[in-house]
Amino acid sequence: VAGADDRLFVFPILRFKRKLGSIVEIAAGPEQRVLTTERNARRIQELVKAFPGRFSLRELRRSRRVDAATRAQLEPLLIDARQATGSMLADLYEQIGQKLPDARFVFQNHGYADPEEDFSWLKPEDAHHRYPLNLARHLLSGVTLDGRSVLDIGCGRGGTCSYVSRYFRPRMVCGMDFSANGLAFCRRVHRRPRLAFLRGDAAVLPFAGGAFDVVVNLESSHCYPARRLFFAEVHRVLKTGGVFCYADVFSQGGPDAPGAREQLTALGFTVRREQDITSPVARALELGYVDLERILRAMVSADRGNRELVESMLDGVRRIPREDYATGRAVYHSWQLVKQR
Ligand SMILES: C[S@@+](CC[C@H](N)C(=O)[O-])C[C@H]1O[C@@H](n2cnc3c(N)ncnc32)[C@H](O)[C@@H]1O
């Protein structure tokens, strides 16, 4: 194929399946498998660790660190970066970032409404988005944030980063997202000390290993083409003993929550807390609708051509609790996981 050498690839998450004498079987997914010598398998393992991220085949072929035998084994295991990275909803979030500039709209998650909650801890300026903010609070509850470095992957419009930086005393908070417009919004709206926003892809995190004490990922991973690459990246950028606070919606026919749990524990995470929170999330969508509708409708403007976008967002929020959560077509899970090794 013309130009194939320039295509970007991602090192896969490899599984060293079984040993047959001195031969090792390596798998990088259901269809990608090779048999290689033990020595080569070790080299491949080291190489994958040494090069997190994307690279072109040309770079791989030129690299002095990879001998011909290792390369020949590694190449069939590589994942085309176009299938493994990026966002499946990139257009939607770019549109939201561009067409809805109002600084009051800083959360894009379904929220969390516990009937026992009295919201006595809520700052008055957060009253209009109490439920989505409460989902971030639920996800982070019991995790030490004071003095810690916190990364929010898929930070959206920065609501969680702002919450962490205003309600706690973290050492630093970094929000990262795939959407350039979303990040421009964050940089304009959330100007605070020790809070920064950066563009990046969840499958190829632009950070050194062990850079963070806490990694947050809230209602974003359903957009990723290869969730396992993302989990491995979170594991890499967390310090040993660091906490991964992870929550998302799992829809029928897609990846499921037990599968995610299995992948995470295989990487070396232990589960500190795991909950099915579908019912408080569905309740929050119902209770939060009035505030969301008021804010979104106030943003409709002919100049921005955003009426259709606002209507489709409101339509989703009306239907999801009844059509997806109540019927079991979707469930919402949250985890706190600790990096043990
Ligand atoms: C439903 S929003 C949630 C935003 C935020 N976490 C919140 O709770 O308000 C999903 C976000 O994930 C981001 N996203 C999607 N794919 C991504 C990727 N590959 N890397 C980083 N962010 C991504 C989207 O741009 C969007 O901002």
Short mmCIF file of all heavy atoms in Angstrom, two decimals, residues 210-235:
data_model
loop_
_atom_site.label_atom_id
_atom_site.label_comp_id
_atom_site.label_asym_id
_atom_site.label_seq_id
_atom_site.Cartn_x
_atom_site.Cartn_y
_atom_site.Cartn_z
N GLY A 210 4.18 7.83 36.09
CA GLY A 210 4.17 8.17 37.52
C GLY A 210 3.97 9.64 37.82
O GLY A 210 4.39 10.12 38.87
N ALA A 211 3.35 10.39 36.91
CA ALA A 211 3.25 11.84 37.09
C ALA A 211 2.12 12.27 38.04
O ALA A 211 2.14 13.38 38.55
CB ALA A 211 3.07 12.52 35.74
N PHE A 212 1.13 11.41 38.28
CA PHE A 212 -0.07 11.85 39.03
C PHE A 212 -0.39 10.94 40.22
O PHE A 212 -0.16 9.74 40.18
CB PHE A 212 -1.29 11.90 38.10
CG PHE A 212 -1.13 12.95 37.03
CD1 PHE A 212 -0.65 12.62 35.78
CD2 PHE A 212 -1.44 14.28 37.30
CE1 PHE A 212 -0.48 13.58 34.80
CE2 PHE A 212 -1.26 15.26 36.33
CZ PHE A 212 -0.78 14.91 35.08
N ASP A 213 -0.99 11.59 41.24
CA ASP A 213 -1.48 10.83 42.41
C ASP A 213 -2.90 10.32 42.16
O ASP A 213 -3.28 9.28 42.69
CB ASP A 213 -1.53 11.74 43.65
CG ASP A 213 -0.17 12.30 44.01
OD1 ASP A 213 0.71 11.51 44.35
OD2 ASP A 213 0.00 13.54 43.94
N VAL A 214 -3.67 11.12 41.44
CA VAL A 214 -5.08 10.77 41.22
C VAL A 214 -5.41 11.02 39.74
O VAL A 214 -5.06 12.07 39.20
CB VAL A 214 -6.01 11.66 42.09
CG1 VAL A 214 -7.48 11.33 41.83
CG2 VAL A 214 -5.68 11.52 43.57
N VAL A 215 -6.05 10.04 39.11
CA VAL A 215 -6.55 10.24 37.75
C VAL A 215 -8.07 10.07 37.78
O VAL A 215 -8.59 9.13 38.39
CB VAL A 215 -5.92 9.24 36.75
CG1 VAL A 215 -6.60 9.34 35.39
CG2 VAL A 215 -4.42 9.50 36.59
N VAL A 216 -8.77 11.02 37.16
CA VAL A 216 -10.23 11.01 37.12
C VAL A 216 -10.67 10.80 35.68
O VAL A 216 -10.06 11.35 34.75
CB VAL A 216 -10.80 12.37 37.61
CG1 VAL A 216 -12.32 12.30 37.71
CG2 VAL A 216 -10.18 12.79 38.91
N ASN A 217 -11.72 10.01 35.49
CA ASN A 217 -12.28 9.86 34.15
C ASN A 217 -13.78 9.69 34.32
O ASN A 217 -14.24 8.69 34.84
CB ASN A 217 -11.66 8.65 33.45
CG ASN A 217 -12.12 8.52 32.00
OD1 ASN A 217 -12.91 7.64 31.68
ND2 ASN A 217 -11.66 9.37 31.13
N LEU A 218 -14.51 10.71 33.93
CA LEU A 218 -15.94 10.74 34.22
C LEU A 218 -16.76 10.84 32.91
O LEU A 218 -16.66 11.84 32.19
CB LEU A 218 -16.23 11.93 35.15
CG LEU A 218 -17.67 12.23 35.53
CD1 LEU A 218 -18.40 11.00 36.02
CD2 LEU A 218 -17.71 13.31 36.61
N GLU A 219 -17.49 9.79 32.64
CA GLU A 219 -18.42 9.74 31.49
C GLU A 219 -17.74 10.13 30.18
O GLU A 219 -18.26 10.93 29.41
CB GLU A 219 -19.63 10.65 31.76
CG GLU A 219 -20.89 10.17 31.05
CD GLU A 219 -22.13 10.96 31.45
OE1 GLU A 219 -22.46 11.00 32.64
OE2 GLU A 219 -22.76 11.52 30.53
N SER A 220 -16.59 9.60 29.95
CA SER A 220 -15.86 9.94 28.73
C SER A 220 -15.41 8.70 27.97
O SER A 220 -15.36 8.69 26.74
CB SER A 220 -14.64 10.80 29.11
OG SER A 220 -13.83 11.09 28.02
N SER A 221 -15.11 7.59 28.69
CA SER A 221 -14.45 6.45 28.04
C SER A 221 -15.32 5.76 26.99
O SER A 221 -14.80 5.05 26.13
CB SER A 221 -13.98 5.43 29.08
OG SER A 221 -15.07 4.76 29.67
N HIS A 222 -16.65 6.00 27.02
CA HIS A 222 -17.51 5.38 25.98
C HIS A 222 -17.20 5.98 24.60
O HIS A 222 -17.65 5.45 23.59
CB HIS A 222 -19.00 5.55 26.32
CG HIS A 222 -19.41 6.99 26.45
ND1 HIS A 222 -19.29 7.70 27.62
CD2 HIS A 222 -19.90 7.85 25.54
CE1 HIS A 222 -19.70 8.95 27.42
NE2 HIS A 222 -20.06 9.06 26.16
N CYS A 223 -16.46 7.09 24.56
CA CYS A 223 -16.09 7.72 23.28
C CYS A 223 -14.81 7.11 22.68
O CYS A 223 -14.45 7.44 21.56
CB CYS A 223 -15.80 9.20 23.46
SG CYS A 223 -17.12 10.18 24.16
N TYR A 224 -14.09 6.29 23.44
CA TYR A 224 -12.76 5.86 22.99
C TYR A 224 -12.84 4.58 22.15
O TYR A 224 -13.48 3.61 22.58
CB TYR A 224 -11.81 5.59 24.16
CG TYR A 224 -11.77 6.67 25.22
CD1 TYR A 224 -11.28 6.38 26.50
CD2 TYR A 224 -12.19 7.96 24.97
CE1 TYR A 224 -11.23 7.34 27.49
CE2 TYR A 224 -12.15 8.94 25.97
CZ TYR A 224 -11.68 8.62 27.21
OH TYR A 224 -11.64 9.58 28.19
N PRO A 225 -12.15 4.56 21.03
CA PRO A 225 -12.17 3.35 20.20
C PRO A 225 -11.51 2.15 20.88
O PRO A 225 -11.94 1.03 20.67
CB PRO A 225 -11.38 3.74 18.96
CG PRO A 225 -11.29 5.21 18.96
CD PRO A 225 -11.42 5.67 20.38
N ALA A 226 -10.48 2.37 21.72
CA ALA A 226 -9.80 1.22 22.34
C ALA A 226 -9.61 1.52 23.82
O ALA A 226 -8.61 2.11 24.22
CB ALA A 226 -8.46 0.96 21.67
N ARG A 227 -10.58 1.10 24.62
CA ARG A 227 -10.57 1.44 26.03
C ARG A 227 -9.36 0.84 26.77
O ARG A 227 -8.85 1.40 27.71
CB ARG A 227 -11.86 0.90 26.64
CG ARG A 227 -12.38 1.74 27.76
CD ARG A 227 -13.67 1.16 28.28
NE ARG A 227 -14.80 1.41 27.41
CZ ARG A 227 -15.98 1.80 27.86
NH1 ARG A 227 -16.17 2.00 29.14
NH2 ARG A 227 -16.98 1.98 27.02
N ARG A 228 -8.91 -0.32 26.31
CA ARG A 228 -7.82 -0.99 27.02
C ARG A 228 -6.50 -0.19 26.91
O ARG A 228 -5.71 -0.16 27.84
CB ARG A 228 -7.63 -2.42 26.50
CG ARG A 228 -6.98 -3.34 27.50
CD ARG A 228 -7.53 -4.75 27.39
NE ARG A 228 -7.26 -5.32 26.09
CZ ARG A 228 -6.20 -6.07 25.82
NH1 ARG A 228 -5.30 -6.32 26.74
NH2 ARG A 228 -6.05 -6.58 24.62
N LEU A 229 -6.31 0.46 25.77
CA LEU A 229 -5.11 1.32 25.64
C LEU A 229 -5.18 2.45 26.66
O LEU A 229 -4.18 2.82 27.26
CB LEU A 229 -5.06 1.95 24.24
CG LEU A 229 -4.58 1.09 23.10
CD1 LEU A 229 -4.64 1.90 21.81
CD2 LEU A 229 -3.15 0.62 23.35
N PHE A 230 -6.37 2.99 26.81
CA PHE A 230 -6.57 4.08 27.77
C PHE A 230 -6.28 3.60 29.20
O PHE A 230 -5.56 4.25 29.95
CB PHE A 230 -8.01 4.60 27.61
CG PHE A 230 -8.58 5.25 28.82
CD1 PHE A 230 -8.05 6.43 29.33
CD2 PHE A 230 -9.68 4.70 29.47
CE1 PHE A 230 -8.58 7.02 30.47
CE2 PHE A 230 -10.22 5.29 30.59
CZ PHE A 230 -9.67 6.45 31.09
N PHE A 231 -6.82 2.43 29.57
CA PHE A 231 -6.56 1.91 30.92
C PHE A 231 -5.06 1.75 31.16
O PHE A 231 -4.55 2.08 32.23
CB PHE A 231 -7.24 0.54 31.11
CG PHE A 231 -8.74 0.59 31.17
CD1 PHE A 231 -9.50 -0.55 30.86
CD2 PHE A 231 -9.42 1.74 31.54
CE1 PHE A 231 -10.89 -0.53 30.92
CE2 PHE A 231 -10.82 1.77 31.60
CZ PHE A 231 -11.54 0.63 31.28
N ALA A 232 -4.35 1.24 30.15
CA ALA A 232 -2.91 1.04 30.31
C ALA A 232 -2.19 2.37 30.47
O ALA A 232 -1.22 2.49 31.23
CB ALA A 232 -2.36 0.28 29.11
N GLU A 233 -2.68 3.39 29.77
CA GLU A 233 -2.06 4.71 29.89
C GLU A 233 -2.31 5.31 31.27
O GLU A 233 -1.43 5.94 31.86
CB GLU A 233 -2.62 5.64 28.80
CG GLU A 233 -1.95 5.44 27.45
CD GLU A 233 -0.51 5.93 27.49
OE1 GLU A 233 0.34 5.15 27.97
OE2 GLU A 233 -0.24 7.05 27.05
N VAL A 234 -3.51 5.12 31.81
CA VAL A 234 -3.81 5.61 33.16
C VAL A 234 -2.87 4.93 34.15
O VAL A 234 -2.26 5.57 35.01
CB VAL A 234 -5.28 5.32 33.55
CG1 VAL A 234 -5.52 5.66 35.02
CG2 VAL A 234 -6.24 6.10 32.67
N HIS A 235 -2.71 3.62 33.98
CA HIS A 235 -1.83 2.86 34.86
C HIS A 235 -0.41 3.41 34.78
O HIS A 235 0.28 3.59 35.78
CB HIS A 235 -1.88 1.39 34.44
CG HIS A 235 -1.15 0.49 35.36
ND1 HIS A 235 0.17 0.13 35.15
CD2 HIS A 235 -1.51 -0.10 36.51
CE1 HIS A 235 0.56 -0.65 36.14
NE2 HIS A 235 -0.44 -0.81 36.97
#
